[in-house]
Amino acid sequence: MASKQLPTSQGSDGDERRRKRKLSNRESARRSRMKKQQRLDELLEEEGRIKEENKKLSQMIDATTQLHLNAASNNNVLRAQIAELTDRLRSLNSVLQIASEVSGLMIDIPDIPDTLLEPWQLPCPIQSAPASVDMFQC
């Protein structure tokens, strides 16, 4: 009979250990789920911050692109004015030269500055860096 009581006693201990192990596993699984949920919440929050930053950067790119387009347009107008004024200056210099030759007077006709003849060599050349908001959107 002693041999029959021993398995019963060990069975009770085994059941108790199994119950404790199940409880421990459940608690561990609960902690694991909580950690996963916390990490998911952090990632979603980070995604929101990144999207907001991306939106602000896109707006800055749009504004800068618009400023660049305005400056380029103004530069084109100014280049056209330079070309027109250079042509007028050439015409006036020609008239002065003809008048000087006809009158016999020595009129000092100023040279046309190189920067007017070659506006692409002005001290601040245009350096375009095209950018598009579409480049930064996923």
Side-chain angles (χ1 to χ4, degrees):
M1 275 215 170
S3 63
K4 285 187 175 182
Q5 288 179 351
L6 186 61
T8 306
S9 174
Q10 286 178 348
S12 294
D13 288 345
D15 289 343
E16 182 65 21
R17 273 189 251 143
R18 209 172 311 129
R19 188 184 65 76
K20 284 183 180 181
R21 190 172 58 244
K22 280 184 179 182
L23 215 70
S24 175
N25 286 347
R26 284 183 188 139
E27 182 61 25
S28 178
R30 185 185 68 78
R31 285 192 308 265
S32 178
R33 286 190 301 272
M34 286 177 59
K35 283 181 183 179
K36 283 182 182 179
Q37 184 62 46
Q38 183 180 8
R39 180 66 178 142
L40 178 63
D41 292 345
E42 289 170 1
L43 290 172
L44 289 172
E45 187 177 317
E46 184 178 357
E47 177 192 28
R49 281 193 310 269
I50 289 171
K51 282 184 176 180
E52 186 62 32
E53 183 179 353
N54 189 32
K55 181 179 175 183
K56 287 177 184 177
L57 290 172
S58 294
Q59 290 171 344
M60 289 173 61
I61 288 170
D62 287 344
T64 304
T65 301
Q66 189 59 46
L67 287 173
H68 176 265
L69 291 174
N70 290 344
S73 176
N74 289 340
N75 283 343
N76 288 337
V77 168
L78 291 173
R79 282 193 177 95
Q81 289 175 345
I82 285 174
E84 181 183 341
L85 292 172
T86 301
D87 286 344
R88 285 185 186 181
L89 183 57
R90 281 190 185 130
S91 296
L92 289 174
N93 280 349
S94 296
V95 169
L96 279 175
Q97 189 163 358
I98 291 169
S100 171
E101 289 173 2
V102 169
S103 69
L105 297 173
M106 288 297 288
I107 300 175
D108 186 27
I109 301 171
D111 291 331
I112 299 173
D114 289 340
T115 55
L116 291 179
L117 294 175
E118 299 172 344
W120 56 89
Q121 293 183 353
L122 289 173
C124 298
I126 291 180
Q127 295 177 354
S128 66
S132 169
V133 173
D134 297 330
M135 292 174 21
F136 300 99
Q137 292 180 346
C138 297

